Amino acid sequence: MRPTLPGSIALSTRLGREIPNAQILDVPPGHAERAKAQMRHHYAAISFERRPASGVYNCHGLTFANRRTGIHDDQAIADILNDDGYLEVPIGDVMPGDLALYCRGAEIEHSAVVLRVVRGVPEGTSLRRVDVLSKCGSAGEYVHVANEGPYRDCDIRYWSDRNAG
Amino acid sequence: MIATFDTGAIGTRGRTMFEPLLSERVLAEGMLASNVRSLWRRLARCADVRDVGRQLASDPTRIRALCGFVRSLLTADYDVRYRHPHDIAIAAALVLLEQSPLAEARALMHALKRESRPSLHWVRVMAEYCDSRFVDERHYGGQWPASAEDDLAPPTHVVYRSSGEARLSNGSIIARAG
């Protein structure tokens, strides 16, 4: 049984700017399985589940808060990217550990961590596939191809903190 | 377990009409959302929600019945250690009720904005979001404010005019006064 959570935690950017966050309750037992079956039916990419459903954190909570809480505010994501030294990188320069941001206009609908970049052999130049680790809302964590799955209609932009120092 | 509810003039058809909101598809789309805007968008696009919206049209009797359906879901027993078992269905209903000027719909929206139970987090934030999107013609003189999400207007996105005429946001007239 999970201990009672505080509902939100102290969280800030590298520069000390406060990040609003919320730990939301889990869905009732059985609901997650119902949702998972439906998701797998509609999104073939959602197949490898690393971790089951949790309301405690969302995609941004996985990407920016190490699963401790959920971040539900776009401005907070913009603050983190700015304060933590993230820069957008072209798809050809993406490396494992970088972030995939799924955007709809100026809005960031989803985020994920790049796990693997598959390039052509032997020269290793042409990008073939990017695999990401995604926490899908209040559902589970899944490993999937970046441009497949429930957020495939978004514009994917890659960001990296490799030059943040 | 869904409690019984007063469907008023539309009778027991109301339950059947609104049951798609409890579907696996609605639940799954709701669970994929990362924030209230993506929750709204996913639910507004969901086929089951749109089907209910089409049947709802702008019929005041059906809209009142949907308010009753939501109240019945809210009164069902559940384990408060978890999210309300129908929070996504209620959020979907709020998407459909968003632009209704009916007093029952506005009262429900305002009541849910004040909801403090952690198990109803998504219901509260959806009520806040939908109410912020509600456009009262009395304030805007019938001019619909431009919005980045106009292409995703919910099925009941209706502009009611003081003449008694009701139009969908695309300009189609769907009802005229007597």
Side-chain angles (χ1 to χ4, degrees):
Chain A
M1 187 73 186
R2 174 186 291 156
T4 303
L5 299 171
S8 67
I9 60 173
L11 192 66
S12 63
T13 67
R14 273 191 181 185
L15 298 185
R17 200 160 11 172
E18 188 179 333
I19 302 169
N21 63 91
Q23 299 164 322
I24 299 167
L25 298 178
D26 290 334
V27 294
H31 277 52
E33 290 305 312
R34 283 173 54 202
K36 186 162 67 178
Q38 185 68 22
M39 282 190 281
R40 284 182 170 166
H41 177 70
H42 281 281
Y43 307 110
I46 297 295
S47 54
F48 183 83
E49 184 183 72
R50 182 188 175 274
R51 207 169 148 157
S54 169
V56 175
Y57 64 103
N58 62 355
C59 54
H60 305 318
L62 164 70
T63 309
F64 298 110
N66 204 24
R67 304 184 179 87
R68 289 167 297 181
T69 188
I71 302 170
H72 303 92
D73 176 24
D74 273 357
Q75 184 55 49
I77 305 304
D79 291 346
I80 295 169
L81 293 173
N82 183 66
D83 291 4
D84 291 12
Y86 282 93
L87 294 172
E88 189 166 0
V89 293
I91 190 167
D93 293 344
V94 174
M95 289 178 64
D98 291 344
L99 306 182
L101 300 186
Y102 292 72
C103 303
R104 200 179 293 281
E107 201 178 307
I108 302 168
E109 171 142 345
H110 180 65
S111 61
V113 179
V114 175
L115 289 184
R116 187 167 66 145
V117 180
V118 181
R119 299 182 192 280
V121 287
E123 69 276 14
T125 49
S126 60
L127 185 75
R128 288 192 173 174
R129 199 178 82 192
V130 178
D131 291 339
V132 296
L133 176 63
S134 261
K135 170 68 162 64
C136 297
S138 49
E141 276 183 29
Y142 295 92
V143 175
H144 63 88
V145 178
N147 56 357
E148 294 177 9
Y151 311 98
R152 63 190 170 206
D153 58 339
C154 293
D155 176 25
I156 306 174
R157 297 177 191 162
Y158 294 94
W159 289 67
S160 177
D161 64 344
R162 278 177 271 141
N163 297 317
Chain B
M1 179 69 184
I2 303 169
T4 57
F5 69 100
D6 177 15
T7 54
I10 66 166
T12 52
R13 282 184 295 126
R15 176 182 294 260
T16 306
M17 184 190 302
F18 305 135
E19 268 178 0
L21 300 179
L22 304 169
S23 72
E24 259 79 359
R25 189 152 51 174
V26 173
L27 175 66
E29 287 301 323
M31 285 189 67
L32 288 168
S34 61
N35 58 38
V36 68
R37 277 201 301 273
S38 66
L39 178 60
W40 186 96
R41 190 183 303 112
R42 284 186 170 277
L43 293 176
R45 283 178 168 180
C46 181
D48 288 346
V49 178
R50 298 190 78 84
D51 284 348
V52 174
R54 270 190 287 274
Q55 293 186 67
L56 203 60
S58 58
D59 182 338
T61 305
R62 293 178 178 183
I63 290 173
R64 287 191 188 97
L66 179 57
C67 293
F69 183 71
V70 168
R71 284 193 293 273
S72 75
L73 296 180
L74 287 166
T75 55
D77 290 334
Y78 68 99
D79 185 340
V80 296
R81 292 173 302 170
Y82 299 97
R83 278 166 47 180
H84 189 288
H86 302 305
D87 63 344
I88 299 298
I90 296 168
L94 295 180
V95 171
L96 295 174
L97 293 169
E98 178 185 282
Q99 296 301 331
S100 172
L102 285 182
E104 289 90 338
R106 300 327 312 163
L108 179 64
M109 205 72 78
H110 284 277
L112 293 177
K113 280 169 65 177
R114 295 192 297 272
E115 179 57 62
S116 59
R117 281 175 279 180
S119 55
L120 287 166
H121 170 88
W122 287 115
V123 171
R124 178 178 56 77
V125 297
M126 182 58 84
E128 288 171 352
Y129 185 64
C130 287
D131 197 49
S132 75
R133 287 173 49 88
F134 173 62
V135 179
D136 190 333
E137 194 205 7
R138 287 169 298 183
H139 297 157
Y140 290 95
Q143 292 296 308
W144 199 266
S147 158
E149 289 174 329
D150 274 355
D151 62 323
L152 286 171
T156 51
H157 205 105
V158 178
V159 179
Y160 294 85
R161 298 183 185 280
S162 52
S163 62
E165 183 181 278
R167 287 174 183 264
L168 290 174
S169 52
N170 66 8
S172 311
I173 299 173
I174 57 170
R176 288 186 193 280

